[in-house]
């Protein structure tokens, strides 16, 4: 299997805007069809005018995402691009108030709305610290002629005890363009879950008979289950839970990586 790393086609100059989002698109290039997907960077940058004089009353939007420009098939590239745009807009809507006028708009419009809401907050609460930030980064962490895996990380802070970080792993089958789930990677989902649980216990220094809930984990009725947040990587399969999903914030986000060698009996070998 031929492996191809993410192709960064041209350096993108990061331009900061004062109150108005700017978008930078990398130049296109690479093979039009077949093989691993070729990506170019797309960046959206915006910040409030206050940032120039008062970092504590400043709002910033920093988005570093990707778009497809070659490789794979047209269907695959469309699926990836649509997924990334929908995911980005959904994330931005979650930090824009329900009554905001541009909630249904583009990523750029939502970035401008984020800054507008910050201006309202600063006007209403001039003595409050109002350092707001919304950041998203997307990386192609495993990109071959059979699978493309993207790692999407969001950082949001609009006040409160701590910022919020969310991570999403997604893998696409290059041949079909389909988003992959556990049932696509294994002949035995229950067996894969058992292997993942064994690795979680090992990572946390727990034995096979130790009580996970006593160790601080929150489990659904029926016990440990696989999350739908997962990705195929060179090492094997990564399962991810954000903070608060299966454990308190103090335990942080949780990753479980199952090496390829441990997948022999339960996983389809097509992606490694």
């Amino acid at each position: 299997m031929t492996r191809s790393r993410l192709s960064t086609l041209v350096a993108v100059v990061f331009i900061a805007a004062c109150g108005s989002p700017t978008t930078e698109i990398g130049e296109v290039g690479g093979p039009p069809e077949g093989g691993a997907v070729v990506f170019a960077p797309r960046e959206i940058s915006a910040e409030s005018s206050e940032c120039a004089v008062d970092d504590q009353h400043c709002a910033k939007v920093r988005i570093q995402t990707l778009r497809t420009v070659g490789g794979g098939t047209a269907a695959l590239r469309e699926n990836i691009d649509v997924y990334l745009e929908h995911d980005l807009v959904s994330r931005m809507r979650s930090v824009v108030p329900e009554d905001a006028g541009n909630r249904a708009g583009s990523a750029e419009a939502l970035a401008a709305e984020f800054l507008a809401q910050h201006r309202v907050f600063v006007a209403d609460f001039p003595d409050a610290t109002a350092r707001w930030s919304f950041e998203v980064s997307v990386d192609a962490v495993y990109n071959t002629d059979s699978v493309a895996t993207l790692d999407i990380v969001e950082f949001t802070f609009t006040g409160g005890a701590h910022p919020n970080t969310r991570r999403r792993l997604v893998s696409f089958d290059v041949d079909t363009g389909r988003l992959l789930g556990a049932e696509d990677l294994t002949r035995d989902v229950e067996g894969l879950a058992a292997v993942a649980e064994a690795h979680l216990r090992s990572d946390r220094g727990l034995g096979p008979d130790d009580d996970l809930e006593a160790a601080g984990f929150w489990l659904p009725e029926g016990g440990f289950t696989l999350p739908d947040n997962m990705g195929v990587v060179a090492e094997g399969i990564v399962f991810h839970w954000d903070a608060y999903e299966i454990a308190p914030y103090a335990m942080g986000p949780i990753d479980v990586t199952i090496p390829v060698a441990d997948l022999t009996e339960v996983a389809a070998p097509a992606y490694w």
Side-chain angles (χ1 to χ4, degrees):
M1 178 186 299
T2 300
R3 295 181 179 177
S4 173
R5 295 181 179 272
L6 167 66
S7 298
T8 300
L9 303 177
V10 64
V12 178
V13 179
F14 196 89
I15 302 175
C18 293
S20 177
T22 62
T23 301
E24 291 294 309
I25 302 292
E27 294 179 4
V28 302
E33 293 283 338
V37 181
V38 180
F39 292 96
R42 173 193 175 199
E43 301 192 4
I44 299 172
S45 173
E47 63 180 41
S48 62
S49 57
E50 290 85 0
C51 294
V53 294
D54 184 1
D55 189 55
Q56 295 303 309
H57 292 80
C58 169
K60 296 181 179 181
V61 176
R62 297 287 184 266
I63 297 168
Q64 297 177 307
T65 184
L66 300 172
R67 65 188 183 103
T68 64
V69 293
T73 64
L76 169 66
R77 295 194 299 273
E78 180 180 8
N79 285 353
I80 292 175
D81 289 338
V82 168
Y83 181 93
L84 286 175
E85 186 65 16
H86 176 76
D87 178 79
L88 176 59
V89 169
S90 295
R91 290 173 184 275
M92 298 189 74
R93 284 176 181 163
S94 71
V95 296
V96 173
E98 291 285 346
D99 59 350
N102 289 328
R103 277 181 57 82
S106 66
E108 288 81 1
L110 288 164
E113 187 61 43
F114 182 79
L115 300 186
Q117 294 300 317
H118 176 263
R119 288 194 294 273
V120 171
F121 181 87
V122 170
D124 289 344
F125 304 98
D127 296 329
T129 298
R131 186 176 185 178
W132 287 14
S133 180
F134 180 82
E135 302 173 20
V136 174
S137 64
V138 181
D139 293 310
V141 292
Y142 188 55
N143 190 28
T144 77
D145 56 9
S146 62
V147 64
T149 297
L150 305 176
D151 190 351
I152 307 169
V153 179
E154 172 197 330
F155 174 91
T156 306
F157 184 69
T158 56
H162 54 72
N164 292 311
T165 300
R166 295 193 295 164
R167 182 188 184 201
R168 182 78 184 177
L169 292 160
V170 291
S171 294
F172 293 84
D173 182 284
V174 170
D175 290 335
T176 66
R178 293 174 54 245
L179 184 64
L180 297 173
E183 66 280 0
D184 301 302
L185 302 176
T186 178
R187 300 178 296 273
D188 181 3
V189 174
E190 290 185 0
L192 182 60
V195 174
E197 181 179 349
H199 276 274
L200 174 64
R201 289 176 175 276
S202 176
D203 292 347
R204 298 286 167 161
L206 301 173
D209 298 323
D210 290 334
D211 189 324
L212 287 176
E213 291 186 339
F217 291 95
W218 305 327
L219 300 179
E221 186 176 350
F224 179 87
T225 58
L226 293 174
D228 63 0
N229 193 348
M230 57 185 294
V232 177
V233 295
E235 296 80 9
I237 300 175
V238 176
F239 294 97
H240 177 80
W241 295 264
D242 286 330
Y244 290 125
E245 283 195 308
I246 62 167
Y249 181 82
M251 292 179 67
I254 296 169
D255 289 328
V256 171
T257 301
I258 305 179
V260 176
D262 292 349
L263 294 169
T264 306
E265 298 299 323
V266 294
Y271 302 111
W272 297 279

